[in-house]
Amino acid sequence: MYNKSNLLLLILFTLTVGVVGWLGYKLTSQQDQQIKMSQINRSEQSLDLVQNNISNYLNSKKQQLSEFIDKTPSEIDDNINRNPLIHHVIIFNKAKELIYPDDLSSQKHIIASQWLDSITVEQETSQNQVTRNNWFIWYDQQKEKYIFWQENTNKILLIEINNAMFMAEFIHYLAGQPNRTESAYLQIIDNSGRIFYQWGESDILNNADFDIQKSLVSPLSGWSLRYYSQIESLSSLSKGLFQIVVIGMLILLSIITFILIKLKQREQLEAQQRLSFINQVSHELKTPLTNIRLHGDLLERSIKEKPDNQNARQSITIIQQESERLSRLINNVLNFNKLEKDTLKLHYTNTDFNDLLQQAILPFMPAFEQHNINVEIDNKVLESVTVDSDVVKQIIGNLLSNIEKYANSSEIIRISSDNDTNGNINIIVQDEGNGIPNNVANKVFEPFYRMHSHLTDAAGSGLGLGLARELARLHGGDLTLLKSKQGAKFKISIEDQNA
Amino acid sequence: MVKQMTRLLQTFMALLTLVFFINTNASDAKKYNPQPKALAFDVALSDVSIMAGSQQKAYLNINITGQPSGTRTKRPQTNIAFVLDKSGSMSGLKMTQAKQALEMAISRLHDNDVASLIVYDDEAKVLWPAATMQNPAQLLNTIKSIGANGSTALFAGVTQGSYEIKKYLDKNKVNRVVLISDGMANVGPSKPHELAELGRALSKQGISVSTIGLGLGYNEDLMAQLAGHSDGNHYFVENADKLANVFDSELGDIFSVVAQDININIICKGGVKPIRILGRDENIFGQNIKTNFNQIYGNQQRHITLELLIPAGHSGEKMSVADVIIDYNDATIKKQISHNNLVAVTFTDNQEIVEKDKNPLIYNNVNAYQANEMSKQVVDLRDKGDLEGAKKLQSLNISTLSKQVSSSKFPSKLKEQLEQEEQLLDSLDDANWNKARKQVRQKQHSIDTQQVKKDDNN
């Protein structure tokens, strides 16, 4: 039962923590995910912009070159001399006859024919006024050459450009673009996987969380534009705050669980104590009852045989004693209950204190005699006092009962009493038993406490001392344990209502 | 009062007239005493007499010599883009020395010179856009602030340098990119032929790129090709402390430019078939061959050698071979000058006359060129790991060259070449081939660009 509930508590605890943690994680990661997605979206957009600009740039180059088809030979000559981008210009008619230049070396002529073959010339363009143009890549001794071609109704234009100049112009264009974004690093990768040009903060490249890629248009169709960026996740502050909250909740939950466990343990202990109390009381009740029944039987038999028998007298005494013990026990239990419920009322009567002492001691005398214990009384209290004599007798009786049970090796019990200046009656009861060790001096007054809680030990309810103290306090006094060289020494003080 | 004023005005006017008069006189004097021509030309055929009856191979050679710059009254204006590699490998002493060399160079420029500064690492940045040197102190501060890190976007650096030049591009200025790099280009086009192509394109616009390879980590093929095809200089500087000297001689070259944009137009006469220009990769269409030099320095001698086929002729016949038209800009007087030459051959049956009329200097050029070409093949073999093959080929190269030296009437140039080739043979085995290779490339470059420097008086 005890372990089960603890386990339950533990499960509850981990479950709560788990749920809170999971929820928090979910929440933050969801937010992170959202931020990431929107950022990638934004990156895509700005990359699209760069890609568009580059496409426009490359298309404008195409446009420039396409104008050669309508230039005069001298204009073309001039361009070749002046424009470092233009390496060769060759123009054929649709019958593949050379129009420009006037003459070609046979080697160049062969190459130019191969160029013509690599573009699919449409013979029927006369019906279709749209001019077609594009690039193709020509490999000459493993060197890439970009060839631009353009076709209109009657001519085919071929331009071999200076690749390096084309690249230089492209780099100059890129370097002059205001397409620097603070949060990104861009690279242009050529068709062999080599970095062609790059720009941005190199820190971003080194700590990039993601990269996206776009392709370029011809003649750089094998090339790509790569965009590196970092995720701006939840600010570290709010992340830290979240961590603090989670840790705080964990600590709080731990404390609550600890308190709950402690409470549970105490309840458990009290239940156990009650259980053992019932056992003890039942045991206590059983002994005098057995004696009463035994002596009652004996008495019945001896009255039948010989009335007026000495044995009968003895049996009656024992029956009286045991009955007293029973009623004391029951009184204790009842008064304990009343005390707990605050319903115990005192009934003060005018009493001769000497008689009261004698009456309190008398029930124990047969037992004390049996253990060869002498009782020494030194009473200096005024004869007439106003007390609740039942309560006083019960207090003294509880002390004596303890002596009978736990200190029956004593030879003398000293009982002294006097009045103090405050009008209180002080009664000191001292035995010669084993005494009470200092470390448990306070605990002996706790209800159900017994110094040795083995059932085999002397019987006891564990109520006696605590009840006695409560009664003494109710009676305007106290019950305290005094220091003593040998045995236990208790001081009862009670208020004399008369004084 | 009014009279006094009038008199004062009259005196002033008289003085003004006098000043004008003196001035006109002075400029007249200049007109009558012109500067010597910037360039001298020597156009000749390797063979003046040719065996009749069959097609013959011959070489047309054009020697161009710059006038000693000491005889000129002023130096040309310059438009220089300094392009500095600031990649990680440049950090430390190299960068410090490079900056000092730059500062030195800047201090030698005049108010009217244009300079720009471009640095590159992962990308290229224009630190100092092209401007006349009105505020050198600020430029010097900019130089001081340069740090070194990142990769090597060499192509982009040179590109941006060339665009800074273009802002002030002027045929009457010396337009030059000066590139300093110690490493392998690893961003952007970085194959030697790609840089060669860039060099050609820039040369077409009148921009030369001088390349300074620093240390032993750079790609000498790339740097030599870039300089070679753009008509710039190429230097190998093993230790950064020599950078200042190199800058000094580079600036010396730039300041001594006597002529720019030298366009050579060779028009071959009917039946004459041009084959190629030695050491240059100009495309030849038809009979008209055009080539050019970006500039000629004072005292510098450069030459163009055109290989051609002369058709069969009859003995005793004389034939015009080609018309050579050269025009150029005089770098200091800012004037375009034109020069015209006609070369011809005579056909003969006499082999002795053919031999006697051979031009030994032109054949020296041809032989030196061929030896140089072979030495490039040797380097290629060595690069492929074929050490034995390389040695064998170079030994052949040397023995051919030795024979030519012993049979030549004027062997001094060939002897020089022979020494170089012998050095190459020795260095093939060298433990430090990397370094030797860079030296070899530098020498090959200077032969490729047909640069011969006479002893300068300066």
Side-chain angles (χ1 to χ4, degrees):
Chain A
M1 165 97 180
Y2 173 73
N3 283 333
K4 229 183 188 171
S5 63
N6 256 14
L7 197 71
L8 208 73
L9 212 68
L10 199 76
I11 289 169
L12 204 75
F13 172 70
T14 38
L15 216 68
T16 322
V17 170
V19 165
V20 167
W22 182 75
L23 272 179
Y25 173 77
K26 260 299 198 202
L27 206 73
T28 49
S29 69
Q30 207 173 6
Q31 221 168 333
D32 266 351
Q33 197 66 27
Q34 274 174 3
I35 290 171
K36 189 178 174 180
M37 288 318 292
S38 73
Q39 215 178 336
I40 289 177
N41 268 339
R42 258 186 289 133
S43 301
E44 289 263 7
Q45 281 167 15
S46 63
L47 184 58
D48 279 344
L49 199 71
V50 178
Q51 187 196 21
N52 263 335
N53 286 342
I54 291 174
S55 299
N56 289 343
Y57 167 79
L58 291 174
N59 288 333
S60 76
K61 283 278 151 206
K62 236 180 183 177
Q63 183 57 35
Q64 275 174 28
L65 294 175
S66 73
E67 283 161 11
F68 272 79
I69 202 157
D70 294 322
K71 279 188 174 33
T72 64
S74 66
E75 278 175 337
I76 297 175
D77 281 347
D78 181 48
N79 240 292
I80 292 174
N81 285 334
R82 217 171 20 81
N83 188 345
L85 181 64
I86 311 299
H87 195 54
H88 267 128
V89 178
I90 299 167
I91 301 174
F92 288 100
N93 65 15
K94 282 295 170 87
K96 300 195 181 180
E97 290 161 348
L98 191 63
I99 297 178
Y100 179 93
D102 298 339
D103 192 18
L104 269 184
S105 69
S106 57
Q107 199 188 351
K108 198 75 197 177
H109 211 291
I110 293 167
I111 291 172
S113 309
Q114 287 172 334
W115 290 353
L116 270 183
D117 291 342
S118 64
I119 58 176
T120 52
V121 178
E122 279 177 37
Q123 296 298 332
E124 305 303 319
T125 33
S126 51
Q127 288 148 18
N128 180 359
Q129 286 300 318
V130 180
T131 55
R132 302 188 307 134
N133 61 27
N134 212 340
W135 293 92
F136 65 87
I137 295 173
W138 184 259
Y139 290 91
D140 176 23
Q141 297 166 354
Q142 295 177 329
K143 293 175 195 166
E144 270 187 355
K145 287 183 185 300
Y146 292 158
I147 315 292
F148 174 81
W149 63 270
Q150 159 115 353
E151 182 193 7
N152 68 7
T153 47
N154 47 18
K155 282 188 255 178
I156 302 153
L157 164 75
L158 291 161
I159 301 177
E160 180 189 339
I161 60 162
N162 179 316
N163 272 29
M165 201 57 216
F166 188 77
M167 301 309 169
E169 285 180 355
F170 190 33
I171 282 178
H172 182 64
Y173 161 77
L174 292 171
Q177 281 299 293
N179 49 16
R180 282 170 188 276
T181 38
E182 279 173 26
S183 55
Y185 194 85
L186 283 101
Q187 281 182 339
I188 289 188
I189 313 285
D190 72 9
N191 50 357
S192 62
R194 193 169 63 162
I195 300 166
F196 174 72
Y197 195 66
Q198 52 191 358
W199 63 95
E201 289 297 319
S202 47
D203 280 356
I204 294 173
L205 177 66
N206 298 333
N207 306 309
D209 295 317
F210 69 94
D211 67 274
I212 38 185
Q213 210 167 317
K214 301 266 171 186
S215 54
L216 301 185
V217 297
S218 70
L220 308 180
S221 36
W223 294 37
S224 58
L225 174 64
R226 208 173 281 172
Y227 182 103
Y228 296 89
S229 190
Q230 288 167 311
I231 303 285
E232 290 161 16
S233 52
L234 282 180
S235 74
S236 53
L237 180 77
S238 61
K239 250 184 185 162
L241 208 70
F242 174 74
Q243 279 166 358
I244 289 169
V245 167
V246 165
I247 289 169
M249 277 178 73
L250 279 175
I251 291 170
L252 203 74
L253 268 165
S254 308
I255 292 170
I256 290 170
T257 312
F258 179 76
I259 290 170
L260 280 174
I261 288 174
K262 271 283 157 200
L263 275 174
K264 205 119 186 96
Q265 274 177 346
R266 178 171 287 186
E267 246 170 64
Q268 226 102 42
L269 193 72
E270 280 177 8
Q272 249 181 343
Q273 283 173 340
R274 286 218 173 84
L275 196 72
S276 106
F277 166 71
I278 290 165
N279 277 340
Q280 295 292 343
V281 171
S282 308
H283 200 74
E284 284 283 287
L285 290 174
K286 201 180 156 195
T287 319
L289 259 177
T290 316
N291 279 340
I292 291 167
R293 273 180 56 201
L294 181 71
H295 285 279
D297 284 352
L298 282 174
L299 191 62
E300 191 186 23
R301 219 177 294 159
S302 49
I303 286 171
K304 269 181 193 163
E305 284 164 14
K306 306 179 199 163
D308 203 31
N309 189 323
Q310 191 58 39
N311 284 343
R313 180 143 233 98
Q314 200 183 350
S315 286
I316 287 167
T317 317
I318 288 171
I319 287 171
Q320 279 174 337
Q321 280 176 8
E322 292 300 317
S323 304
E324 290 264 4
R325 220 167 110 185
L326 262 178
S327 69
R328 234 179 19 243
L329 209 65
I330 289 162
N331 266 345
N332 271 353
V333 174
L334 287 177
N335 279 348
F336 180 74
N337 268 337
K338 279 182 185 164
L339 264 177
E340 281 212 322
K341 293 178 195 163
D342 280 331
T343 52
L344 190 69
K345 293 265 182 306
L346 294 182
H347 303 287
Y348 297 106
T349 46
N350 243 330
T351 319
D352 184 306
F353 190 71
N354 213 23
D355 284 355
L356 193 147
L357 268 185
Q358 291 300 334
Q359 281 167 24
I361 296 163
L362 192 66
F364 295 95
M365 284 316 291
F368 288 161
E369 276 166 19
Q370 214 176 323
H371 292 293
N372 290 323
I373 301 173
N374 291 322
V375 181
E376 205 181 271
I377 299 172
D378 176 16
N379 180 25
K380 291 174 184 155
V381 177
L382 300 170
E383 280 181 7
S384 177
V385 292
T386 308
V387 292
D388 184 325
S389 49
D390 285 341
V391 165
V392 178
K393 271 193 268 182
Q394 199 174 351
I395 295 168
I396 297 169
N398 280 356
L399 289 181
L400 293 178
S401 168
N402 275 353
I403 293 170
E404 181 200 344
K405 275 183 275 191
Y406 310 117
N408 47 30
S409 57
S410 305
E411 283 181 8
I412 299 170
I413 300 169
R414 293 193 173 83
I415 300 172
S416 59
S417 55
D418 58 8
N419 292 89
D420 70 9
T421 49
N422 297 327
N424 282 349
I425 303 158
N426 293 331
I427 310 154
I428 290 170
V429 182
Q430 181 168 20
D431 64 45
E432 292 176 337
N434 291 327
I436 295 164
N438 278 340
N439 57 340
V440 292
N442 281 324
K443 286 190 176 172
V444 290
F445 294 107
E446 286 174 14
F448 310 116
Y449 182 82
R450 292 164 69 230
M451 267 168 58
H452 312 282
S453 54
H454 309 290
L455 274 177
T456 49
D457 275 2
S461 63
L463 282 177
L465 276 176
L467 185 68
R469 188 167 73 174
E470 289 306 312
L471 288 174
R473 283 175 180 174
L474 192 70
H475 211 297
D478 203 356
L479 173 66
T480 47
L481 179 67
L482 300 179
K483 282 193 179 148
S484 160
K485 279 176 192 167
Q486 194 199 356
K489 186 177 184 182
F490 285 96
K491 176 184 165 190
I492 308 163
S493 77
I494 49 168
E495 204 176 34
D496 181 3
Q497 296 297 315
N498 210 21
Chain B
M1 184 71 180
V2 178
K3 260 185 187 174
Q4 267 185 343
M5 286 284 281
T6 326
R7 202 178 297 161
L8 205 71
L9 204 72
Q10 274 175 347
T11 326
F12 183 69
M13 289 301 279
L15 256 164
L16 213 69
T17 327
L18 193 72
V19 168
F20 263 106
F21 181 72
I22 290 166
N23 244 7
T24 358
N25 261 4
S27 52
D28 273 353
K30 229 182 215 170
K31 223 182 259 172
Y32 292 120
N33 185 14
Q35 265 194 320
K37 275 192 174 173
L39 299 179
F41 302 96
D42 176 15
V43 181
L45 272 178
S46 60
D47 299 74
V48 182
S49 301
I50 277 188
M51 281 300 282
S54 66
Q55 201 183 38
Q56 299 284 331
K57 188 159 85 172
Y59 299 95
L60 171 66
N61 190 76
I62 304 163
N63 268 341
I64 306 175
T65 311
Q67 289 300 313
S69 51
T71 63
R72 303 182 77 78
T73 47
K74 54 178 183 177
R75 71 158 175 85
Q77 283 177 16
T78 65
N79 177 9
I80 307 178
F82 295 100
V83 178
L84 178 62
D85 181 345
K86 68 172 274 291
S87 61
S89 57
M90 280 292 289
S91 62
L93 194 64
K94 273 187 200 166
M95 188 46 103
T96 316
Q97 304 271 18
K99 283 161 141 183
Q100 280 171 5
L102 267 176
E103 285 166 17
M104 184 278 293
I106 300 295
S107 69
R108 286 187 62 184
L109 298 180
H110 295 165
D111 280 6
N112 290 330
D113 289 322
V114 174
S116 55
L117 175 63
I118 294 91
V119 293
Y120 64 88
D121 42 52
D122 296 341
E123 55 180 312
K125 280 186 185 124
V126 179
L127 279 194
W128 185 265
T132 50
M133 294 300 298
Q134 311 293 349
N135 196 352
Q138 214 176 327
L139 175 52
L140 292 176
N141 280 338
T142 308
I143 291 171
K144 282 197 177 72
S145 70
I146 302 171
N149 62 335
S151 43
T152 309
L154 185 142
F155 191 96
V158 175
T159 295
Q160 290 298 78
S162 74
Y163 275 93
E164 287 308 308
I165 296 274
K166 278 180 209 172
K167 290 180 182 172
Y168 285 82
L169 193 64
D170 181 350
K171 289 205 166 172
N172 294 314
K173 283 194 168 84
V174 181
N175 304 297
R176 180 160 306 204
V177 175
V178 179
L179 169 71
I180 307 114
S181 179
D182 75 328
M184 299 282 186
N186 52 20
V187 174
S190 46
K191 293 188 186 113
H193 80 82
E194 291 171 312
L195 274 297
E197 218 174 310
L198 178 67
R200 264 200 302 280
L202 295 180
S203 169
K204 205 168 170 181
Q205 300 166 80
I207 301 170
S208 294
V209 184
S210 285
T211 57
I212 301 169
L214 183 54
L216 295 170
Y218 70 92
N219 182 342
E220 59 272 24
D221 293 2
L222 182 157
M223 299 281 268
Q225 295 244 12
L226 177 57
H229 287 90
S230 67
D231 219 356
N233 295 320
H234 170 57
Y235 307 91
F236 162 42
V237 187
E238 192 182 358
N239 293 313
D241 56 2
K242 294 282 187 300
L243 263 180
N245 296 350
V246 167
F247 264 74
D248 212 38
S249 87
E250 173 66 12
L251 279 179
D253 269 3
I254 292 173
F255 293 159
S256 78
V257 166
V258 291
Q260 292 206 100
D261 200 19
I262 300 110
N263 289 305
I264 300 154
N265 194 359
I266 306 169
I267 303 150
C268 290
K269 298 293 178 180
V272 176
K273 195 169 185 279
I275 312 287
R276 59 177 175 151
I277 298 175
L278 302 187
R280 306 201 129 210
D281 45 11
E282 261 80 358
N283 285 300
I284 292 174
F285 293 107
Q287 298 296 96
N288 201 343
I289 299 107
K290 282 179 179 165
T291 188
N292 82 309
F293 291 126
N294 270 11
Q295 73 279 310
I296 302 278
Y297 306 124
N299 267 346
Q300 185 189 27
Q301 193 189 74
R302 305 185 75 174
H303 61 91
I304 292 278
T305 307
L306 174 69
E307 186 180 327
L308 34 77
L309 283 173
I310 294 172
H314 301 291
S315 181
E317 197 184 335
K318 191 171 177 182
M319 183 193 177
S320 294
V321 174
D323 233 341
V324 177
I325 304 162
I326 303 167
D327 58 65
Y328 64 92
N329 274 324
D330 187 301
T332 49
I333 60 172
K334 300 179 182 177
K335 195 178 157 193
Q336 188 160 15
I337 294 165
S338 206
H339 179 91
N340 212 326
N341 256 86
L342 186 71
V343 282
V345 286
T346 311
F347 293 99
T348 174
D349 287 330
N350 193 338
Q351 183 68 39
E352 269 183 40
I353 295 174
V354 171
E355 288 303 321
K356 187 174 72 72
D357 285 353
K358 275 188 190 295
N359 185 329
L361 290 174
I362 296 177
Y363 275 102
N364 277 353
N365 282 348
V366 173
N367 292 336
Y369 165 75
Q370 280 162 349
N372 200 42
E373 288 303 291
M374 203 180 265
S375 77
K376 285 184 194 171
Q377 289 174 31
V378 169
V379 170
D380 282 348
L381 283 176
R382 176 67 174 81
D383 287 347
K384 284 174 189 149
D386 183 3
L387 183 58
E388 286 314 305
K391 278 180 171 174
K392 222 170 148 186
L393 190 62
Q394 186 60 1
S395 304
L396 178 69
N397 194 8
I398 288 166
S399 71
T400 311
L401 206 52
S402 317
K403 276 179 208 156
Q404 289 162 348
V405 167
S406 55
S407 67
S408 177
K409 286 182 206 161
F410 304 100
S412 68
K413 187 187 170 186
L414 280 185
K415 267 185 183 165
E416 218 174 276
Q417 179 85 20
L418 184 62
E419 273 170 33
Q420 274 186 33
E421 301 306 343
E422 280 166 346
Q423 271 177 27
L424 171 58
L425 182 64
D426 290 343
S427 64
L428 286 172
D429 270 332
D430 208 323
N432 201 350
W433 165 242
N434 178 24
K435 179 181 165 183
R437 193 180 188 281
K438 288 178 168 57
Q439 287 164 339
V440 169
R441 277 286 186 253
Q442 195 185 2
K443 283 170 187 161
Q444 287 173 344
H445 165 84
S446 71
I447 294 165
D448 271 345
T449 48
Q450 296 121 343
Q451 291 183 9
V452 181
K453 271 205 120 175
K454 291 180 178 172
D455 291 330
D456 207 314
N457 298 334
N458 300 358

